[in-house]
Amino acid sequence: MQADTVISTRIDAVSVTVYRAPGRAAGAIDRDWPRGYALVTETRTVDLPQGESVVRFEGVAEGLMPETAILTGMPRGVREKNRDARLLSPAGLVDAYLKRRVTLRRTDRATGKVTEQEAILSAGPTGGVIVHTAQGYEALGCSGLPERMLYPQAPKDLSPRPTLSVIATSDRATRATLQLTYLAEGFDWSASYVADMQGDGSRLDLMAWLTVANGGVTGFADAQLNVIAGQPNRQPRGAQPRAFGGPLRLTCWPMDITSTHPRWSLFPVEMPQAMMADGAQEIMVTAQRRTGRAMMAPPPPAPPPPPAPVVAEQEDLGDLKFYRVPVSVTVAASSQKQVALLRQPSVKVERLYAATVSGASGAGESRPMTLRLRLQNRKDDGLGLPMPSGRVAVFEQVGDMRLLAGEADIGDKAADERIDYDLAESADVRIAVRPTGSTRERQDWTIALSNARPFDVTAEVTIPHDIKPRPKDMERRGNAWIWRVIVPANGKADLTYTRRLPR
């Protein structure tokens, strides 16, 4: 004999580990429905009756993948599990009562008389609701009268929150502590870096925020929050349908006229009364002569030091990086949360101008080079940390103003790796590349750099060609050669080289 349904609504403890959206190395998080996922582990306590029972876990993540759910702690295991995707909402009620009878209640605007009549829901809720009454078919909300639908009762298969139900068996009535673990879509995270250049431009202060997004309708209070940096091998799967529910959006052809409703007027703006009519304020100064030794008031106590910032702790997870937030946080529904990821003051930085040679059209035309900030991710330069992919905003101080110098996207960077921030094109530092001659086996090229700034600059040009003879004073980076040169203030620098053509 099947026992009564057991409903679990309270989560004793929860851990949320968020993975980035597969393939999103850079760019913004999808605000409507984040494309990453999370591993959620919940601890719940339930009272199980003797025999077979249906246990409903309400308040699971909206994007729960039922095939990944693992439940431990049941006395005799689980026989069946189901994800209940139908939510108790105006739209969910319409969907549940399709082809069934409801009561349509209307109020006459002139007399205030309320009438009720039976109707059958014929279509809805997407795009509107069609009801069938004794007068025929009509669209809900288009009669011009205040109206609402009344339902006999709430359907048993509708839940106010996303729910996972399981069928389990127990030999006796008992209280069990269960652990529910599952993967859920609708989560994502990214790293947001803020770099403040120091006065001389040779160093910067680097701060990073860990931004976690939860796009579902379920929030997790006092959660252990973790994130995973890197891309684990996860097989592609079909899109998971979101839990059905939400408000009704009724549309109909406009049949009203503007004179039906009263005109809306703006509220008057109340201005504060002037303290004096002429805008000035009288100040009265009083004084009193003291005949004794003046006693000076003790200085106020120093303010307490600010609390230490909470920074995520980094650990290794195979070839991935695991970041643990050391305090409990609330991962609220349909929101984003930020936690400090790292703080690194006085990081050494190199400022240079970069360009890549291309043999396409526009040869010989001058074009701007890109301002690039380069960091070497090593301890001697003030870093030496894994740097998750994200976006960096670079600020510079101009007088007493802190101004944005540019933004750049970066991929995942390991320790001892080079990090480049390509910020903006410079109209003052330019490059012109032109061919000067060619045969079947070779092409001659000239690179001309110009610097209109009042100080020397370092330029770095990437040449993706097979140069003959092989240069001895250039860096080999992949299949390209790197020409680095200091271009003097208001000066120029040239390079002539020969490209070997494939036979």
Side-chain angles (χ1 to χ4, degrees):
M1 179 177 179
Q2 182 170 328
D4 293 337
T5 299
V6 177
I7 299 179
S8 171
T9 60
R10 183 175 179 272
I11 300 177
D12 299 331
V14 62
S15 171
V16 181
T17 302
V18 183
Y19 294 76
R20 276 201 307 255
R24 188 185 64 79
I29 295 174
D30 189 330
R31 300 179 66 90
D32 295 330
W33 185 245
R35 303 299 176 181
Y37 55 99
L39 177 67
V40 182
T41 301
E42 303 175 2
T43 301
R44 302 189 184 214
T45 302
V46 297
D47 292 320
L48 298 174
Q50 183 179 3
E52 187 176 86
S53 59
V54 177
V55 183
R56 294 173 58 85
F57 297 95
E58 291 188 353
V60 296
E62 180 182 354
L64 178 145
M65 309 175 200
E67 69 275 15
T68 66
I70 300 175
L71 184 63
T72 60
M74 282 290 185
R76 297 185 58 184
V78 174
R79 183 169 65 85
E80 181 180 311
K81 57 185 178 182
N82 300 282
R83 173 179 177 265
D84 302 333
R86 291 157 61 87
L87 296 182
L88 182 61
S89 65
L93 281 170
V94 171
D95 181 68
Y97 269 87
L98 282 179
K99 308 304 179 182
R100 298 172 62 184
R101 293 185 181 274
V102 296
T103 300
L104 193 60
R105 176 181 291 178
R106 287 173 172 161
T107 304
D108 188 276
R109 292 182 185 274
T111 64
K113 182 180 179 181
V114 178
T115 61
E116 293 183 355
Q117 66 179 134
E118 284 191 347
I120 297 177
L121 280 175
S122 297
T126 305
V129 177
I130 304 297
V131 295
H132 185 199
T133 65
Q135 289 74 33
Y137 291 91
E138 57 181 295
L140 185 68
C142 296
S143 65
L145 300 177
E147 57 189 13
R148 59 182 300 187
M149 289 187 299
L150 304 179
Y151 303 90
Q153 61 182 3
K156 294 182 179 180
D157 61 343
L158 291 188
S159 171
R161 298 188 294 172
T163 301
L164 177 73
S165 62
V166 300
I167 299 178
T169 304
S170 178
D171 295 332
R172 57 185 176 84
T174 182
R175 172 168 290 184
T177 299
L178 309 178
Q179 190 173 72
L180 175 63
T181 303
Y182 56 88
L183 290 175
E185 295 178 334
F187 294 83
D188 203 353
W189 78 276
S190 66
S192 303
Y193 297 88
V194 179
D196 283 290
M197 298 291 296
Q198 296 184 2
D200 59 357
S202 64
R203 292 187 176 271
L204 56 80
D205 298 326
L206 189 63
M207 164 103 184
W209 291 97
L210 187 157
T211 303
V212 176
N214 175 10
V217 298
T218 302
F220 299 94
D222 298 325
Q224 170 60 61
L225 178 61
N226 317 297
V227 300
I228 300 293
Q231 294 288 349
N233 183 18
R234 178 168 175 251
Q235 297 299 318
R237 66 192 300 272
Q240 179 78 15
R242 297 187 63 179
F244 184 79
L248 279 176
R249 293 177 174 84
L250 304 178
T251 57
C252 60
W253 186 261
M255 298 294 291
D256 221 340
I257 56 177
T258 56
S259 61
T260 303
H261 307 286
R263 181 187 304 173
W264 289 90
S265 60
L266 295 176
F267 290 100
V269 179
E270 297 183 1
M271 300 296 293
Q273 295 182 357
M275 298 185 65
M276 298 190 66
D278 58 357
Q281 183 176 356
E282 183 179 358
I283 301 176
M284 180 177 293
V285 181
T286 62
Q288 180 180 0
R289 182 185 297 273
R290 289 184 178 270
T291 57
R293 184 177 180 180
M295 298 294 294
M296 298 185 62
V310 177
V311 180
E313 300 171 351
Q314 183 257 314
E315 304 173 23
D316 290 332
L317 179 64
D319 288 339
L320 306 176
K321 299 301 177 183
F322 178 85
Y323 292 89
R324 184 196 311 272
V325 179
V327 296
S328 298
V329 299
T330 295
V331 185
S334 303
S335 67
Q336 295 186 4
K337 173 176 287 293
Q338 285 192 320
V339 180
L341 182 63
L342 62 87
R343 294 174 185 266
Q344 294 295 121
S346 193
V347 178
K348 186 176 180 181
V349 62
E350 179 186 14
R351 183 189 295 262
L352 50 88
Y353 293 84
T356 299
V357 173
S358 61
S361 59
E365 296 182 0
S366 174
R367 55 187 175 91
M369 299 185 73
T370 300
L371 172 61
R372 174 176 292 172
L373 299 182
R374 172 164 296 165
L375 284 65
Q376 300 293 343
N377 190 8
R378 54 197 179 200
K379 291 184 178 180
D380 292 344
D381 288 358
L383 271 180
L385 301 170
M387 305 280 285
S389 66
R391 166 159 289 199
V392 60
V394 179
F395 293 86
E396 291 196 37
Q397 197 73 22
V398 180
D400 58 350
M401 295 185 297
R402 179 173 177 260
L403 301 178
L404 178 67
E407 293 182 317
D409 291 324
I410 62 169
D412 291 322
K413 299 294 182 180
D416 299 323
E417 195 173 359
R418 184 184 70 251
I419 303 174
D420 289 337
Y421 299 156
D422 288 344
L423 298 183
E425 292 185 341
S426 172
D428 294 333
V429 183
R430 307 182 70 87
I431 180 174
V433 182
R434 66 179 186 275
T436 58
S438 64
T439 65
R440 292 184 177 181
E441 298 181 352
R442 52 180 284 175
Q443 285 182 339
D444 297 328
W445 293 80
T446 297
I447 302 176
L449 306 180
S450 61
N451 175 22
R453 312 213 68 179
F455 48 81
D456 298 351
V457 301
T458 300
E460 183 178 273
V461 181
T462 301
I463 307 174
H465 296 159
D466 187 6
I467 299 178
K468 176 186 178 181
R470 293 175 64 89
K472 298 181 180 180
D473 54 351
M474 290 188 189
E475 175 190 351
R476 186 68 165 173
R477 194 176 297 168
N479 294 324
W481 294 98
I482 306 300
W483 177 42
R484 286 177 60 96
V485 62
I486 296 178
V487 186
N490 299 307
K492 297 182 179 180
D494 297 324
L495 173 69
T496 299
Y497 69 92
T498 298
R499 175 188 180 186
R500 187 201 309 267
L501 297 178
R503 296 183 180 181

